[in-house]
Amino acid sequence: AQGRLVGATPLSDPLLDRSDHPHPFGVAADSLGNAFIAFSPVAFNPDRDGLIAGSPTLLMSFTRDGHLRWKKTFPFEGGELAVGSGMLLPERAGQAFSTIDGEPAGTLPGPGPVGIAPGRVVLPPPSEGERMLSAVTAPALTSAWTYTLQDGMAFSSRRVALSRWRPRAQVDRTVVLGVAHTVPPLGMASSLVAVEVEGGREAFVCPLQEPDVERELLGLVQRLHVAGARLGLMDGANRVGEDPPFAYGQARFTRYRVPGLSDAPVAWSGEFGGPDHDQQEEPPQVGPTP
């Protein structure tokens, strides 16, 4: 309150004394207020200005009052952090770590999670052109379900998003949204696919009408966000570098209205970091999840 200082804790580790500008990746905080931060050295790249993260990565955890809980060093490259359901998820680790002591909790069966719903870690399609979406439990990381698209369809992007959807006169459902194309994927119709997080059942598949008939159909979806009853997609950007990934590029932004759609009350909606390099776990839900 009133901006008074709560505490100041010096950060001390040999990695922070390096001369290659160790890169901090902001702060992630769980629902109890425990804070997590990652540092990594900068990888040498003559064409960049110190923004490419290298390895190893130093993970540190603090109480809400700033007291050190634990710190660990791991060989993976630095990246953003996400936290939820007792798991710490570094962007480029391929593993989940316990928020209690920083020990590895298990290997993720895919390129990385995209969101944490109650009791679930939802994983993206393995690659473009694949037909399956999978989920594992949290924090045990055991297989929960696998969903397969309808015949003649394939996912056209790794981008998925967690959302809440309420059919008419029914209870809310937490769903994972993805974009699929009819096969072959390019130049054909695209559809929005929703799969229930609890059980992996198909909630709906609906076509995405293209608003701009002068441009080609929806391409590789590079960003997918839900805000209220609106779905926002970005495609067509030229990827430039890693941080920020789409600097100096041009893209198309398309917004769709999806009746019954709203923001999902989940621990982590799925996007790593952002301009402010932070993420706060949403408080756990009270009572059973529909």
Side-chain angles (χ1 to χ4, degrees), residues 83-115:
V83 63
S85 299
M87 298 180 300
L88 183 65
L89 300 159
E91 183 178 10
R92 298 187 176 97
Q95 288 181 294
F97 298 84
S98 169
T99 57
I100 297 174
D101 55 13
E103 288 296 311
T107 301
L108 297 168
V114 296

Side-chain angles (χ1 to χ4, degrees), residues 3-26:
R4 290 193 294 266
L5 179 67
V6 174
T9 303
L11 303 181
S12 176
D13 189 88
L15 186 140
L16 302 178
D17 296 330
R18 296 172 58 129
S19 60
D20 55 8
H21 178 57
H23 191 112
F25 287 92

Side-chain angles (χ1 to χ4, degrees), residues 73-161:
T73 301
F74 296 98
F76 55 82
E77 292 182 351
E80 307 292 351
L81 296 177
V83 63
S85 299
M87 298 180 300
L88 183 65
L89 300 159
E91 183 178 10
R92 298 187 176 97
Q95 288 181 294
F97 298 84
S98 169
T99 57
I100 297 174
D101 55 13
E103 288 296 311
T107 301
L108 297 168
V114 296
I116 303 176
R120 296 285 186 270
V121 179
V122 180
L123 301 177
S127 61
E128 297 169 46
E130 294 294 328
R131 301 182 58 217
M132 292 189 299
L133 181 72
S134 301
V136 297
T137 60
L141 299 181
T142 56
S143 177
W145 50 257
T146 298
Y147 164 80
T148 303
L149 279 169
Q150 301 172 6
D151 290 342
M153 299 185 69
F155 284 106
S156 54
S157 172
R158 291 182 183 273
R159 292 290 173 182
V160 295

Side-chain angles (χ1 to χ4, degrees), residues 210 212 215-219 233-235 250-254:
E210 297 299 328
D212 188 349
R215 290 194 55 175
E216 63 182 25
L217 297 182
L218 193 67
L233 302 178
M234 184 186 89
D235 73 315
Q250 293 183 336
R252 176 175 63 169
F253 297 87
T254 310

Side-chain angles (χ1 to χ4, degrees), residues 87-266:
M87 298 180 300
L88 183 65
L89 300 159
E91 183 178 10
R92 298 187 176 97
Q95 288 181 294
F97 298 84
S98 169
T99 57
I100 297 174
D101 55 13
E103 288 296 311
T107 301
L108 297 168
V114 296
I116 303 176
R120 296 285 186 270
V121 179
V122 180
L123 301 177
S127 61
E128 297 169 46
E130 294 294 328
R131 301 182 58 217
M132 292 189 299
L133 181 72
S134 301
V136 297
T137 60
L141 299 181
T142 56
S143 177
W145 50 257
T146 298
Y147 164 80
T148 303
L149 279 169
Q150 301 172 6
D151 290 342
M153 299 185 69
F155 284 106
S156 54
S157 172
R158 291 182 183 273
R159 292 290 173 182
V160 295
L162 293 175
S163 178
R164 181 167 49 185
W165 180 60
R166 173 177 289 183
R168 292 185 179 90
Q170 296 186 35
V171 297
D172 291 350
R173 306 177 189 181
T174 301
V175 296
V176 55
L177 301 173
V179 176
H181 285 89
T182 54
V183 179
L186 296 180
M188 304 298 285
S190 54
S191 298
L192 179 66
V193 179
V195 179
E196 295 182 14
V197 169
E198 184 63 37
R201 295 175 297 273
E202 183 180 285
F204 64 81
V205 176
C206 65
L208 291 174
Q209 182 180 359
E210 297 299 328
D212 188 349
V213 297
E214 295 182 358
R215 290 194 55 175
E216 63 182 25
L217 297 182
L218 193 67
L220 176 65
V221 174
Q222 296 158 317
R223 287 290 185 266
L224 190 158
H225 291 282
V226 175
R230 300 292 192 272
L231 172 70
L233 302 178
M234 184 186 89
D235 73 315
N238 297 320
R239 189 175 182 86
V240 181
E242 293 294 331
D243 188 3
F246 300 108
Y248 308 113
Q250 293 183 336
R252 176 175 63 169
F253 297 87
T254 310
R255 188 178 69 167
Y256 296 91
R257 189 177 73 86
V258 184
L261 208 64
S262 61
D263 299 336
V266 296

